[in-house]
């Protein structure tokens, strides 16, 4: 046990978790909450002892819920949310990711449900069919849980709802769960009930999943990778049926939001390095956004960097095609971003909000969608262009559209040798998890090859009810006053009449 109260097992677990889960808590009060957290229920009376006293309905709930929460995120708000969910659901259904691995929890849960079914429990299969998962955290945490669900091949696949607790929260934004956590969502009984009602009423939708395969010409180039990537045997490096080169080493991973290479990933890498060194400087979402802006303005966007074409070349299979072809990368591009969602770096729409009739007919571009089997490939150019894209969130100026693809290869190899003899490198990131990757130089024969292909879909929940924290609670309070004799009816009426969002995809 270290000074923070974290066990050795938890520390070992964190090595396979996303950076935002591994990061130390910015607010030390988290550790006090975590240390006291246990499964004791001093006031609980089992229902079997209340038989024939009260009318207990023994039925399968419509949407049973399991929660995974990064309680260290959001300063005090993460621990406050954990406590509120513990009280509203059951401590046994809420798992702090600093303590519990989602793969172990879900694997054991499915085993328990299978065993119950085999032993004649007719309701176990209904619980499994109705189960929903809530992930409270940033994009990296949500992607981690989505990856675990795919790895375990859970059937039926439980859909995932989200509570945004990170910095960018692009997955949460894309499915109407909000840009940031609002403490008003848990400030009272009625607002907390409204938050849970949104999860119960949310609609299941598909989200494209993409497989990232990296082949390295030498084992020395396989260095520290993000938690979402893992090394694989050499012979497994190339995907079946592809012409990827034989690997000295190989790694694979999955992503749902975006993958990028270039200066944007460098900015993210610098921020993550700061968060690990000085968690006190990244204690709030506002501070985190400041540091992202700082590193973005000092990462080489304005001067003093070689063009990305000196290290990166592209091959693509464009929308509607089955053939690989070279894609010429413009000289002024300093970052290439592969987009699955139209929300990047805190809601920026890099592709742009409009796909005109000319775009469709002449350029053969399609309206982007999170379940169309296509990635939008864009380039960020000089600092002023990128600054305008970020400032206007893509509404007035968007990134340079390169193409839409069903598969893409990036070949990484520097066209020069550094004067100091040190390896050149590229900064890369997937779903907000960045790393610095050494790359071969002109004196080497083979490049690093990064290949991205479609890997099916995951199930997520799209919110259809307004996120305004007071909309539900105000209506409920008014109805309770009018119908104090029947509070259950008031709750039902409030949930069914609160303003809903339009039934359109994000």
């Amino acid at each position: 046990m270290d000074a923070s109260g974290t066990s050795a097992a938890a520390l070992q677990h964190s090595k396979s978790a996303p950076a935002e889960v591994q990061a130390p808590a910015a607010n030390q009060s988290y550790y006090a909450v975590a240390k006291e957290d246990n499964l004791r229920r001093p006031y609980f009376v089992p229902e079997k002892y209340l038989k024939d006293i009260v009318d207990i309905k023994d039925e399968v709930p419509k949407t049973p819920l399991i929660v995974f929460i990064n309680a260290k995120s959001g300063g005090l708000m993460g621990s406050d949310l954990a406590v509120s969910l513990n009280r509203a659901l059951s401590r046994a259904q809420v798992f702090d990711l600093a303590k519990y691995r989602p793969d172990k929890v879900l694997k054991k849960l499915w085993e328990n449900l299978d065993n119950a079914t085999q032993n004649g429990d007719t309701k176990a299969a209904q619980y499994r069919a109705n189960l929903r998962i809530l992930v409270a955290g940033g994009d990296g945490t949500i992607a981690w849980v989505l990856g675990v669900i795919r790895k375990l091949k859970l059937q039926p696949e439980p859909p995932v709802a989200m509570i945004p607790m990170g910095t960018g929260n692009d997955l949460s934004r894309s499915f109407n769960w909000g840009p940031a956590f609002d403490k008003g969502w848990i400030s009272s009984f009625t607002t907390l009930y409204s938050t849970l009602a949104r999860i119960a009423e949310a609609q299941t939708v598909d989200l494209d999943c993409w497989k990232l395969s990296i082949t390295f010409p030498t084992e020395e180039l396989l260095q520290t990778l993000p938690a979402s990537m893992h090394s694989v045997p050499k012979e497994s490096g190339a995907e079946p049926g592809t012409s990827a080169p034989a690997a000295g080493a190989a790694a694979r991973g999955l992503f749902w939001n975006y993958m990028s290479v270039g200066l944007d990933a460098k900015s993210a890498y610098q921020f993550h390095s700061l968060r690990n060194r000085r968690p006190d400087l990244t204690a709030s979402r506002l501070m985190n956004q400041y540091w992202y802006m700082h590193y973005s303005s000092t990462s080489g966007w304005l001067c003093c960097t070689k063009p990305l074409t000196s290290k990166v070349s592209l091959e693509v299979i464009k929308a509607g095609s089955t053939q690989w072809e070279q894609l010429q990368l413009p000289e002024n591009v300093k970052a290439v971003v592969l987009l699955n969602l139209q929300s990047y770096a805190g809601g920026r729409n890099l592709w742009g909000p409009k796909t005109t009739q000319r775009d469709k007919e002449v350029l053969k571009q399609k309206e982007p969608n999170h379940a169309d089997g296509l990635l939008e490939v864009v380039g960020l150019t000089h600092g002023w262009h990128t600054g305008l894209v970020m400032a206007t969130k893509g509404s007035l100026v968007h990134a340079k559209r390169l193409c839409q693809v069903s598969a893409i290869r990036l070949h990484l190899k520097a066209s020069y040798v550094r004067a100091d003899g040190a390896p050149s490198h590229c900064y890369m990131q997937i779903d907000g998890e960045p790393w610095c990757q050494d790359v071969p130089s002109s004196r080497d024969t083979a490049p690093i090859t990064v290949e991205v292909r479609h890997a099916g879909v995951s199930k997520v929940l799209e919110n259809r009810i307004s996120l305004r924290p007071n909309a539900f609670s105000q209506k409920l309070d008014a109805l309770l006053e009018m119908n104090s004799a029947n509070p259950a009816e008031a709750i039902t009426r409030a949930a069914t009449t609160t303003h809903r969002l339009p039934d359109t995809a994000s």
Side-chain angles (χ1 to χ4, degrees):
M1 189 80 72
D2 69 5
S4 67
T6 305
S7 68
L11 290 173
Q12 180 64 32
H13 145 62
S14 71
K15 296 177 182 179
S16 63
E20 62 192 52
V21 175
Q22 297 182 41
N27 192 308
Q28 293 300 306
S29 65
Y30 161 77
Y31 293 113
V33 173
K35 190 173 182 180
E36 296 174 2
D37 188 19
N38 56 56
L39 288 172
R40 294 179 60 194
R41 294 184 290 175
Y43 311 111
F44 176 71
V45 177
E47 292 180 355
K48 63 182 179 180
Y49 300 133
L50 300 174
K51 183 179 178 182
D52 298 329
I53 302 174
V54 293
D55 183 17
I56 299 173
K57 299 186 183 299
D58 185 18
E59 59 186 20
V60 177
K62 177 184 175 183
T63 52
L65 190 66
I66 290 292
V67 179
F68 293 108
I69 180 171
N70 182 12
K72 292 186 294 185
S73 60
L76 270 176
M77 293 187 294
S79 53
D80 287 348
L81 176 61
V83 170
S84 295
L85 291 173
N86 287 345
R87 292 169 177 167
L89 298 174
S90 161
R91 172 59 192 86
Q93 293 172 235
V94 181
F95 298 92
D96 184 348
L97 289 168
K99 294 182 178 182
Y100 298 94
R101 290 179 58 105
D103 53 346
K104 292 185 176 180
V105 171
L106 292 176
K107 182 180 179 181
K108 187 60 181 178
L109 175 60
W110 247 247
E111 287 177 357
N112 291 342
L113 291 169
D114 285 341
N115 291 336
T117 300
Q118 293 171 8
N119 291 330
D121 185 344
T122 58
K123 295 179 181 176
Q126 297 178 55
Y127 270 97
R128 182 168 54 188
N130 294 353
L131 184 70
R132 297 185 166 195
I133 294 176
L134 171 63
V135 182
D139 290 334
T141 302
I142 297 167
W144 184 27
V145 175
L146 288 172
V148 164
I149 293 172
R150 285 187 63 87
K151 181 180 179 181
L152 294 176
K153 299 179 180 179
L154 301 181
Q155 292 298 328
E157 182 176 330
V160 173
M162 310 157 195
I163 289 182
M165 300 292 291
T167 302
N169 299 314
D170 292 297
L171 281 163
S172 176
R173 291 171 186 267
S174 298
F175 297 99
N176 298 327
W177 295 106
F181 178 70
D182 186 332
K183 197 169 182 178
W185 296 343
I186 60 170
S187 61
S188 68
F189 160 74
T190 52
T191 56
L192 180 56
Y193 183 91
S194 178
T195 297
L196 295 174
R198 287 196 294 270
I199 298 167
E201 296 296 325
Q203 301 298 305
T204 301
V205 297
D206 289 340
L207 170 62
D208 282 333
C209 175
W210 297 88
K211 178 183 285 186
L212 180 73
S213 302
I214 307 180
T215 56
F216 304 89
T218 65
E219 291 186 355
E220 292 73 22
L221 289 170
L222 177 56
Q223 298 154 340
T224 302
L225 296 171
S228 53
M229 300 287 297
H230 62 278
S231 60
V232 294
K234 296 178 185 179
E235 59 272 14
S236 301
E239 289 292 323
T242 73
S243 58
R252 289 184 187 165
L254 299 171
F255 70 92
W256 289 262
N257 191 351
Y258 65 89
M259 178 261 176
S260 73
V261 55
L263 291 188
D264 71 317
K266 180 180 180 180
S267 302
Y269 180 80
Q270 291 173 320
F271 168 77
H272 280 254
S273 299
L274 174 69
R275 183 168 61 181
N276 289 333
R277 295 194 315 270
R278 294 290 305 274
D280 57 307
L281 296 180
T282 58
S284 72
R285 184 169 175 268
L286 186 61
M287 291 176 66
N288 294 347
Q289 290 177 331
Y290 162 77
W291 285 114
Y292 264 112
M293 291 174 60
H294 167 74
Y295 287 126
S296 295
S297 63
T298 59
S299 297
W301 286 103
L302 298 175
C303 67
C304 309
T305 56
K306 292 182 179 293
L308 196 60
T309 52
S310 66
K311 299 177 184 178
V312 179
S313 60
L314 303 178
E315 288 182 276
V316 300
I317 299 179
K318 292 184 178 179
S321 175
T322 59
Q323 301 298 316
W324 288 100
E325 58 182 278
Q326 294 289 330
L327 178 67
Q328 188 64 41
L329 192 62
E331 286 285 336
N332 63 346
V333 168
K334 296 191 175 185
V336 172
V337 188
L338 316 182
L339 298 165
N340 188 39
L341 300 175
Q342 303 314 304
S343 182
Y344 165 88
R348 276 75 179 178
N349 186 342
L350 297 190
W351 183 259
K354 296 180 180 179
T355 302
T356 65
Q357 198 62 31
R358 178 184 177 276
D359 294 334
K360 296 175 182 178
E361 294 176 356
V362 178
L363 302 179
K364 306 301 181 185
Q365 295 174 353
K366 299 182 178 181
E367 196 77 39
N369 186 275
H370 53 72
D372 58 2
L374 296 175
L375 290 169
E376 283 67 51
V377 184
V378 301
L380 294 169
T381 60
H382 54 77
W384 297 114
H385 167 251
T386 300
L388 285 172
V389 172
M390 295 301 181
T392 66
K393 294 197 170 184
S395 60
L396 296 179
V397 179
H398 58 71
K400 188 175 184 63
R401 295 180 181 179
L402 300 178
C403 60
Q404 292 174 306
V405 303
S406 59
I408 185 170
R409 289 183 189 142
L410 298 87
H411 302 291
L412 310 181
K413 181 180 177 182
S415 59
Y416 56 89
V417 178
R418 286 177 48 146
D420 59 6
S424 186
H425 52 262
C426 278
Y427 291 92
M428 306 174 68
Q429 63 174 331
I430 55 173
D431 284 352
E433 294 286 302
W435 77 99
C436 181
Q437 177 62 59
D438 286 350
V439 299
S441 68
S442 57
R443 64 190 171 197
D444 300 307
T445 56
I448 293 174
T449 297
V450 180
E451 184 166 313
V452 178
R453 286 179 174 267
H454 192 248
V457 297
S458 294
K459 302 294 184 182
V460 297
L461 290 165
E462 184 177 56
N463 175 43
R464 301 291 175 85
I465 300 177
S466 172
L467 288 168
R468 292 175 297 168
N470 292 326
F472 174 88
S473 58
Q474 289 175 353
K475 184 177 289 292
L476 178 56
D477 289 341
L479 288 170
L480 284 172
E481 288 183 10
M482 294 168 54
N483 195 7
S484 58
N486 194 346
E489 181 182 339
I491 291 174
T492 301
R493 287 182 59 194
T496 55
T497 58
T498 299
H499 172 66
R500 292 175 177 269
L501 297 171
D503 290 344
T504 56
S506 299

